[in-house]
Amino acid sequence: MTDKKRLFVKNWGCQMNVYDGGRMADVLAPLGYAPAEAPEGADMVILNTCHIREKATEKLFSELGRLRALKQERPGMVIAVAGCVAQAEGAEITARAPYVDMVFGPQSYHRLPEMVARATRAAGAVIETEFPAEEKFDHLPEGGAPQGVTGFLTVQEGCDKFCAFCVVPYTRGAEFSRPAGAILAEARRMAAQGTKELTLLGQNVNAWHGEGADGLAGLLRLLAEVPGIERLRYTTSHPRDMDEALIAAHRDIPQVMPFLHLPVQSGSDRILSTMNRGHTAEHYLRLVERLRRARPDLALSTDIIAGHPGEREEDHQATLALIREVGFAQAFSFKYSPRPGTPAAGMAGQVEEATKDRRLAEIQALLRDQQAAFNARMTGTICEVLWTGPGRHPGQMSGRTPWLQPVHALAPSHCVGRITPVRILAGHPNSLSGELAEQERTAA
Ligand code: 5AD
Ligand code: SF4
């Protein structure tokens, strides 16, 4: 008889962390761990952390403080810290929170069963923050819990770009691309479990160069052949790796959605150079032009950093100008936050907090307007919606458009997993509302 144990995983940060958190649960399932909804009563709690921006460490320690109280009531509870803060600050974590049992980085979680055995035997924390030579992906179990109508699949991990502000090359390590065969096998399993929309994940996903396909464009072609997979997306891309074949894939592969997340970070050549991005604003704009020529309905999303070291008022204005010129459907913008160990953290010309706040507010106001305008323009159109689950109100279902906008409409619950035409009635700042188009209503 296996004794049932409860596992609670809390994920912070990017979609890759969400994927990793799911895989940690898969690795632990054979040991008898079943998912728990909350840390209360759990036998193991994993905090899967993110180190990309500030306050990560403070957030972690405040969460650990709460868990410590739970552990006092339940001394057998195992507390683990995973992810990028664990990778970067393993020693500080065990020093400040000696009740933590395990600390492991993003490249070590396939070793969880062994770590659990060691943690339950030994006094003191088990720390695994090496980048092991053997590949994590080869040691992860096949299968695992289904992800749902939309699912994520990590195809590439790590980064060799070394943007001056970014911790990723230090926490996730060097670029690694999984072979096409393993990716296809995982995609087929996901499709068999009901996934229709597949998002390929990688810190530099468009630099994918794994065995078995010619670059990401070749991989997308192979994935488009997987029965059941109706939509393909990939994130996050670097402008330097957006090659002709990948641009053409947006034109030629119907499953590749007309939406692309392409971080630009700044619109100033001087700052782009300080950031070590390896491209200019002009290069980015020409790239957008080529993409839109290949796929005229392509919508773009981006990441912007406000107040990078060295940023002057004219650089900030150049960023606003680039945003105006491109017209983004959606975007993420952040105040620059010095990350320990990165070149930018030690640069001269750090920008004052108040200036960063003001610039970020200006950037966000512009991006908010662009997003609202993009959503408003959908009003009156007929849109192909992939239904993902129940909506907020009774009788309502929610889904997403090819451009990743959430849609709410009255629809039967059996529509989940199907793609149907929807008449868009209104565009809101963050979502759309609609009704099933005529032929669908009669069919339903
Ligand atoms: N400060 C602010 N934003 C950052 N990002 C990465 N590092 C930092 C930092 N030090 C942002 C970038 C990146 C996104 C994932 O997070 O815009 O594209
Ligand atoms: Fe970080 Fe730059 Fe690599 Fe993106 S490309 S993960 S921003 S170093």
Side-chain angles (χ1 to χ4, degrees):
M1 199 182 82
T2 52
D3 47 338
K4 270 279 167 240
K5 287 171 276 190
R6 314 285 290 166
L7 167 70
F8 178 71
V9 184
K10 182 177 170 82
N11 295 307
W12 279 287
C14 64
Q15 286 153 339
M16 192 176 288
N17 260 16
V18 178
Y19 175 90
D20 286 347
R23 301 312 320 258
M24 289 174 203
D26 293 343
V27 171
L28 290 168
L31 275 67
Y33 285 94
E37 293 297 317
E40 288 79 15
D43 299 284
M44 188 189 308
V45 175
I46 302 179
L47 301 178
N48 191 18
T49 58
C50 168
H51 204 223
I52 195 104
R53 285 174 294 276
E54 65 194 334
K55 301 205 184 90
T57 317
E58 295 94 286
K59 267 194 267 179
L60 169 64
F61 283 108
S62 80
E63 193 70 32
L64 281 174
R66 274 196 290 277
L67 291 182
R68 176 189 207 170
L70 290 179
K71 189 168 174 150
Q72 273 159 359
E73 289 162 22
R74 225 179 136 76
M77 178 175 161
V78 176
I79 301 179
V81 181
C84 293
V85 179
Q87 185 67 42
E89 303 191 27
E92 190 190 337
I93 293 165
T94 50
R96 270 179 67 182
Y99 47 91
V100 167
D101 302 287
M102 301 190 288
V103 177
F104 54 95
Q107 309 308 342
S108 316
Y109 63 78
H110 57 290
R111 294 189 183 167
L112 260 169
E114 180 197 323
M115 285 188 256
V116 173
R118 275 163 53 205
T120 43
R121 261 200 323 265
V126 175
I127 305 187
E128 285 273 359
T129 49
E130 298 299 303
F131 291 116
E134 83 262 29
E135 292 308 343
K136 164 181 74 179
F137 292 107
D138 292 344
H139 292 81
L140 290 175
E142 293 190 351
Q147 290 197 46
V149 173
T150 59
F152 295 113
L153 201 173
T154 294
V155 303
Q156 180 276 340
E157 204 174 335
C159 182
D160 296 336
K161 297 276 190 308
F162 291 92
C163 297
F165 53 81
C166 187
V167 284
V168 166
Y170 312 98
T171 58
R172 291 266 170 181
E175 251 183 47
F176 167 73
S177 296
R178 293 177 73 186
I183 295 166
L184 280 163
E186 194 167 334
R188 286 194 198 102
R189 278 195 300 271
M190 291 172 74
Q193 291 174 331
T195 296
K196 308 282 180 201
E197 180 176 299
L198 189 59
T199 302
L200 309 183
L201 296 180
Q203 270 89 26
N204 247 284
V205 71
N206 62 340
W208 184 87
H209 57 268
E211 265 169 49
D214 192 7
L216 186 63
L219 181 64
L220 287 167
R221 261 191 192 92
L222 293 176
L223 286 165
E225 304 287 313
V226 173
I229 297 297
E230 299 187 46
R231 292 180 164 189
L232 290 168
R233 306 179 185 277
Y234 57 94
T235 194
T236 288
S237 295
H238 194 291
R240 256 158 62 193
D241 294 313
M242 211 65 221
D243 62 15
E244 200 50 52
L246 192 51
I247 294 174
H250 280 270
R251 181 189 60 213
D252 301 335
I253 307 176
Q255 289 89 341
V256 175
M257 288 294 99
F259 181 88
L260 180 64
H261 182 63
L262 194 60
V264 65
Q265 317 294 0
S266 168
S268 152
D269 288 347
R270 216 172 52 79
I271 294 302
L272 286 167
S273 156
T274 310
M275 287 176 164
N276 191 33
R277 290 287 291 174
H279 66 84
T280 61
E282 185 63 20
H283 173 256
Y284 186 88
L285 292 170
R286 293 293 79 78
L287 194 52
V288 168
E289 215 173 76
R290 284 161 63 207
L291 281 157
R292 284 181 170 154
R293 225 178 291 135
R295 182 81 208 227
D297 62 347
L298 185 96
L300 286 137
S301 146
T302 200
D303 291 341
I304 305 275
I305 295 178
H308 189 272
E311 188 184 80
R312 302 185 198 128
E313 197 52 32
E314 66 255 35
D315 302 308
H316 169 59
Q317 291 303 327
T319 298
L320 293 172
L322 179 135
I323 296 171
R324 276 189 211 102
E325 185 154 353
V326 175
F328 291 100
Q330 204 243 317
F332 303 96
S333 47
F334 314 101
K335 186 159 77 161
Y336 169 73
S337 119
R339 307 319 295 139
T342 58
M347 280 180 188
Q350 299 286 327
V351 177
E352 283 199 7
E353 277 317 293
T355 308
K356 287 198 245 182
D357 286 334
R358 195 252 308 151
R359 289 180 187 164
L360 181 66
E362 288 176 14
I363 289 166
Q364 290 188 333
L366 178 56
L367 290 169
R368 224 179 359 253
D369 286 352
Q370 292 192 338
Q371 180 173 326
F374 180 74
N375 289 348
R377 276 203 300 279
M378 306 291 297
T379 309
T381 61
I382 304 276
C383 213
E384 294 294 314
V385 171
L386 170 62
W387 298 104
T388 51
R392 243 171 285 149
H393 304 296
Q396 228 186 28
M397 298 299 286
S398 68
R400 50 168 67 163
T401 70
W403 301 278
L404 218 48
Q405 297 141 297
V407 182
H408 304 284
L410 291 173
S413 55
H414 62 72
C415 68
V416 170
R418 284 175 55 208
I419 297 175
T420 67
V422 170
R423 187 183 319 282
I424 304 303
L425 301 174
H428 313 291
N430 299 306
S431 67
L432 308 175
S433 49
E435 60 179 11
L436 294 185
E438 211 48 56
Q439 64 271 38
E440 274 303 315
R441 259 186 304 192
T442 42

